[in-house]
Amino acid sequence: MSKADLVRTLCTELLADRQHLHAINAILSAQRQAILTYAQADLDQLNQQLMQHYRQLHQHARQRMAGLQQLGLPAAPQGMTQLLAGLPEAARHPLQSAWQEITEQLQQCQQTNHHNQQLIEMQYDILQNSLPVSGEGPSWLYQPGQHA
């Protein structure tokens, strides 16, 4: 693969990753609603969709690292920044904006995912504290014979 083809591929995948992250953010928001409404079938479907996007992002990240190394650039965010800085101006500005947007979207995805995780943990704690477990102590909500 020529250097120009490699750069073109890296840029194309960068734009694809931006679309994947837009989709992931939307799916994570839908996931939150499914968690709140206990919609297990929806959660299963959303999780499958997330995994498809995660796999694609992971594959692009591996290819990006290999491509940057082939170009003699660091296989790190700095390498991508260097690559984009060397592009012609017409391509540089939109791709630098996309790279910045990806960074922001990743942070948003991580934050939303963390909030969803907290919600699931809260629901789990509520269930653990309210449902009786045979032979493992009292439950404050369902105790036979201890009604007021």
Side-chain angles (χ1 to χ4, degrees):
M1 182 181 293
S2 72
K3 179 181 177 180
D5 289 338
L6 187 54
V7 170
R8 191 174 302 110
T9 299
L10 289 171
C11 292
T12 300
E13 289 177 355
L14 173 74
L15 296 174
D17 286 351
R18 181 175 62 177
Q19 295 306 312
H20 285 294
L21 288 167
H22 278 292
I24 288 170
N25 269 317
I27 294 167
L28 288 171
S29 293
Q31 183 185 54
R32 182 171 185 77
Q33 290 306 309
I35 292 167
L36 289 169
T37 59
Y38 300 99
Q40 187 60 48
D42 292 344
L43 276 174
D44 292 342
Q45 180 185 14
L46 293 167
N47 288 337
Q48 288 177 4
Q49 292 174 22
L50 281 173
M51 291 309 297
Q52 291 172 354
H53 289 288
Y54 290 153
R55 280 192 287 276
Q56 194 64 47
L57 285 174
H58 180 70
Q59 179 182 349
H60 284 174
R62 284 190 1 246
Q63 291 170 339
R64 185 168 32 256
M65 289 172 53
L68 289 170
Q69 287 176 333
Q70 288 176 355
L71 294 170
L73 297 169
Q78 302 86 344
M80 198 65 189
T81 301
Q82 289 174 13
L83 172 73
L84 296 176
L87 294 175
E89 188 172 335
R92 178 178 49 233
H93 292 296
L95 289 168
Q96 284 175 330
S97 293
W99 183 245
Q100 179 62 36
E101 185 180 340
I102 284 173
T103 302
E104 293 165 3
Q105 286 181 0
L106 280 170
Q107 291 172 349
Q108 179 64 39
C109 286
Q110 289 172 338
Q111 183 179 32
T112 304
N113 191 53
H114 179 70
H115 289 233
N116 289 355
Q117 177 187 354
Q118 287 178 319
L119 184 58
I120 290 170
E121 288 172 357
M122 287 183 345
Q123 288 177 345
Y124 178 81
D125 287 344
I126 289 169
L127 285 173
Q128 288 300 311
N129 291 323
S130 62
L131 297 177
V133 179
S134 63
E136 292 192 16
S139 167
W140 64 271
L141 185 56
Y142 296 105
Q143 280 299 303
Q146 295 183 5
H147 295 66

